[in-house]
Amino acid sequence: MSTTVGLIVGSLRKGSYTRAVAEQTAALLPKDYVVKQINIGDLDLYNQDFDDENRVPESWKKFREEMQTVDAVIFATPEYNRSVPGVLKNAIDVGSRPYGASVWDKKPAIILSVSPGAISGFGANHHLRQSLVFLNMPVVQQPEVYLGNVTNILDDNLKITNEGTIKFLQSAMDTFVDLINRLKD
């Protein structure tokens, strides 16, 4: 039986470095893993009144249903103002509700943060990690995946050219697979 991994990217920008790295990293998973890209760009902003008053937007329903079909999640995020982009935080909030029906509960996860700067998205990575702890998602602890100066490792087609980076990302995916396998029923 294959394992389905949701790929959630916090950057909506065309030509996104984060998306390019995330897709190439996800491709390092074993052949029997299915990667499902989860679009978060069209999610209505979270407002608890919609859940409380049974007026859930169609975008939330679709997202929540889609997330129920994945076994684990790769979160890839750039850093905006030392945190995650609003679109990613909104997806986390939409998926965490209604209370007691979180789509995130017990799903293994790994976080990749990508930045053209030297700090490597450290702030976003740790802010996201804090939310995932609350959401009861087992997260790969080591290796932590921060890719700084990303423009130095990507060619004009946004392909990773640095062999050491590819080996590092492979080790992260191997650790992610180990975590998923340990948690399977």
Side-chain angles (χ1 to χ4, degrees):
M1 187 166 122
S2 67
T3 300
T4 302
V5 176
L7 176 60
I8 296 178
V9 178
S11 174
L12 301 180
R13 188 177 65 79
K14 66 181 176 197
S16 164
Y17 304 133
T18 303
R19 178 167 301 286
V21 168
E23 289 172 353
Q24 291 170 75
T25 302
L28 299 172
L29 288 166
K31 300 258 183 270
D32 60 334
Y33 275 57
V34 175
V35 177
K36 185 179 209 178
Q37 295 215 21
I38 309 291
N39 178 22
I40 60 174
D42 61 357
L43 282 174
D44 291 271
L45 291 175
Y46 186 73
N47 177 339
Q48 186 171 328
D49 291 345
F50 296 154
D51 275 324
D52 292 348
E53 298 165 4
N54 201 24
R55 296 185 296 126
V56 175
E58 206 50 48
S59 67
W60 294 7
K61 289 178 189 174
K62 181 182 173 201
F63 175 74
R64 289 169 175 171
E65 288 168 6
E66 198 169 25
M67 286 308 302
Q68 292 295 349
T69 69
V70 303
D71 304 303
V73 183
I74 297 172
F75 289 99
T77 185
E79 182 169 295
Y80 290 3
N81 303 310
R82 299 287 186 253
S83 190
V84 296
V87 68
L88 181 53
K89 180 62 167 78
N90 186 54
I92 289 167
D93 294 343
V94 168
S96 72
R97 297 290 188 265
Y99 184 78
S102 173
V103 300
W104 310 116
D105 191 45
K106 298 181 183 165
K107 287 190 195 254
I110 189 166
I111 301 168
L112 319 172
S113 58
V114 177
S115 172
I119 297 177
S120 313
F122 174 86
N125 193 302
H126 277 262
H127 273 190
L128 182 52
R129 189 173 296 273
Q130 187 175 12
S131 293
L132 301 188
V133 168
F134 177 77
L135 296 171
N136 197 31
M137 295 185 81
V139 179
V140 169
Q141 301 299 310
Q142 292 292 328
E144 292 177 287
V145 184
Y146 312 108
L147 292 181
N149 301 308
V150 72
T151 54
N152 295 339
I153 62 166
L154 297 174
D155 67 16
D156 291 341
N157 297 314
L158 301 182
K159 296 293 180 207
I160 300 170
T161 58
N162 183 290
E163 193 60 39
T165 300
I166 294 169
K167 287 180 181 174
F168 171 69
L169 293 172
Q170 182 66 67
S171 75
M173 288 299 97
D174 292 346
T175 302
F176 185 39
V177 168
D178 289 344
L179 177 64
I180 293 166
N181 288 335
R182 282 198 319 266
L183 296 172
K184 281 185 177 173
D185 293 329

